[in-house]
Amino acid sequence: MNDSPTQPSSKQPSSKTAIFGALAANLAIAVIKFAAAIFTGSSAMLSEGIHSVVDTGNEWLLLLGLKRSQRPADERRPFGYGRDLYFWSFVVSICIFAIGGGMSIYEGIEHLKNPSPITDPTWNYVVLGLAFCFDGASFLLARRTFNAQRGRQTFWSAFRRSKDPATFVVLFEDTADLLGLIVAFLGVFLSHQLQNPYLDGVASLVIGAILVTVAGLLIRESQSLLLGETAEPALLQQLTVLAQATPAIHRVATPMTTYLSPEEILVVLRAEFHPELSAEQVTQAVAELCTTIQAQHPEVKHLFVQPTFLSKSPDSVTSAPAISAESK
C-alpha cells in the first residue's frame, strides 16, 4: 500500500474551491449570528458571530497566501514564493487562537460577571439551524478535498503529512464551527429552560476552548511546514532506487529534501560516481539522472546532484562535492 499523498485529479475539488465555499458560508453566517445576538442578548451567539468573522478573514488570508505563493521565481527568490502559503496559514492559526479563542473566552467571562437572561431564544434557534446547514455544507466540501488528497492514509496521519495547509486549515475551521454551534445551542437551550443565564457564559468559554485547541494543532503544523519538512519515506526510497540504477553511480546517500510549496520539492542527491569516469561522463550521467527523476516525479522542481566520496556508511560524506548540477 502506498501511503504517500495522492495528487488531486481534475475532477477533484481544489483547495481554492474549499476556501471559497467556507468564505461564502462564514460571511453569511456572521451576519445572521450578530443579528440574533442583538435581538436576544445571547453571549454564546455573540461569541459565535465573532468566530464567524474571524473565519471569514482567515479564508481571505488563505486566498492571499495561495495567490502570493504562485508568483514566479525571481532574482530575490530563486526558488519561488511557495512558502508564502505556509506563512499565511501560520498567521491564520494565530488569528484563530488570539482573536477567535481569546474573544470568546473574554466574552464568556464577562457574561459570567454580568449575566443577562435570554427572553426569547427563537432567533437563536433559527440562526443556529441555518448556520449548521451552511457550515455543514462547507465542512463536507473541505472533507471531500482533504480525502481526495490523503488517499489511503488515516485521517491523523494524512493531517500530519499534508503539505497543503489551505486544505486542512479550512477543514479544522469548519469542524470547530460545527462543534461551536452545538455548544452554543446547548448554552442557549439550557440557559433558557433552566432559567440560568450563567450557562450561556459557560458555553462561550467552551467555544473559546475549542478554538484554542484547534488553533494549537494548526499552529504546530503550520510552523513545521514553514520551517521545512522532508519528503515522504516512499519518495526518498524511489529517488534512491533511481539513482542507484544509474550505471555511472557506485553508491548514493539518502536524499536531502524539503518542501517549498505543496507541489514543489527541492532535492539534494549525494552520489559517489565510479572513479574511472571523466568529468564529461559524470556531467552527462547527472543530466540523464535529472531527466529521469523529473519525468517520474514532476513535483521535484529543483534537483541538485552532488558527486562526492562516501564512507562505508552511505549517509556519511567524507569530502566536499566536486560538481553541482540543477534541473528545473
Side-chain angles (χ1 to χ4, degrees):
M1 179 177 66
N2 185 2
D3 288 337
S4 61
T6 57
Q7 296 298 326
S9 67
S10 59
K11 294 183 179 180
Q12 294 170 345
S14 65
S15 300
K16 186 175 291 188
T17 301
I19 295 175
F20 275 120
L23 177 64
N26 287 319
L27 184 59
I29 293 169
V31 173
I32 57 179
K33 281 180 179 177
F34 279 124
I38 292 173
F39 283 110
T40 63
S42 169
S43 172
M45 188 58 63
L46 180 60
S47 296
E48 276 297 299
I50 296 172
H51 181 186
S52 295
V53 169
V54 173
D55 283 350
T56 302
N58 289 343
E59 317 309 343
W60 181 82
L61 290 177
L62 287 175
L63 288 173
L64 176 64
L66 277 174
K67 181 178 180 180
R68 292 178 62 87
S69 68
Q70 294 169 356
R71 289 179 294 172
D74 53 32
E75 293 183 357
R76 295 185 59 192
R77 297 289 185 272
F79 294 121
Y81 292 81
R83 284 186 177 170
D84 244 345
L85 176 59
Y86 297 156
F87 169 75
W88 287 107
S89 68
F90 184 78
V91 172
V92 166
S93 303
I94 296 295
C95 289
I96 296 175
F97 180 88
I99 303 177
M103 289 294 292
S104 294
I105 292 174
Y106 172 80
E107 181 63 28
I109 293 174
E110 286 297 310
H111 196 77
L112 289 176
K113 291 180 178 179
N114 303 290
S116 57
I118 299 176
T119 56
D120 184 7
T122 304
W123 269 98
N124 296 62
Y125 295 145
V126 171
V127 170
L128 288 172
L130 291 174
F132 198 88
C133 291
F134 283 122
D135 276 331
S138 178
F139 170 80
L140 292 176
L141 179 57
R143 188 183 67 172
R144 181 188 172 196
T145 304
F146 183 78
N147 286 342
Q149 295 181 358
R150 74 179 176 126
R152 298 181 180 181
Q153 300 178 92
T154 63
F155 178 88
W156 185 252
S157 177
F159 166 60
R160 294 301 306 273
R161 293 184 178 184
S162 175
K163 304 302 184 290
D164 188 0
T167 300
F168 64 72
V169 167
V170 172
L171 179 62
F172 273 69
E173 275 187 354
D174 288 338
T175 301
D177 288 343
L178 295 175
L179 292 175
L181 290 170
I182 293 173
V183 172
F185 169 79
L186 292 175
V188 172
F189 178 77
L190 295 176
S191 178
H192 183 257
Q193 292 296 318
L194 301 177
Q195 295 298 307
N196 185 351
Y198 290 100
L199 294 178
D200 194 37
V202 171
S204 291
L205 293 177
V206 174
I207 292 171
I210 292 173
L211 290 173
V212 168
T213 301
V214 169
L217 292 172
L218 295 179
I219 288 172
R220 176 181 175 182
E221 291 304 311
S222 298
Q223 180 195 33
S224 179
L225 290 171
L226 190 59
L227 293 176
E229 290 189 356
T230 186
E232 295 74 20
L235 177 58
L236 296 179
Q237 179 63 27
Q238 291 166 13
L239 294 176
T240 301
V241 170
L242 288 175
Q244 290 178 335
T246 303
I249 292 179
H250 175 54
R251 285 186 300 175
V252 62
T254 301
M256 296 186 296
T257 62
T258 185
Y259 271 85
L260 300 177
S261 74
E263 298 179 357
E264 185 175 3
I265 305 175
L266 183 148
V267 176
V268 176
L269 189 62
R270 298 165 296 168
E272 180 178 340
F273 288 78
H274 292 292
E276 67 272 12
L277 296 178
S278 65
E280 182 179 355
Q281 290 174 316
V282 170
T283 302
Q284 180 63 29
V286 166
E288 292 176 356
L289 178 59
C290 290
T291 301
T292 300
I293 289 178
Q294 292 196 307
Q296 297 188 31
H297 300 281
E299 68 274 20
V300 178
K301 302 299 183 182
H302 306 275
L303 175 59
F304 295 89
V305 179
Q306 296 180 335
T308 187
F309 293 102
L310 303 175
S311 65
K312 292 183 180 181
S313 174
D315 290 328
S316 177
V317 179
T318 59
S319 66
I323 302 175
S324 178
E326 178 184 14
S327 177
K328 296 183 180 180

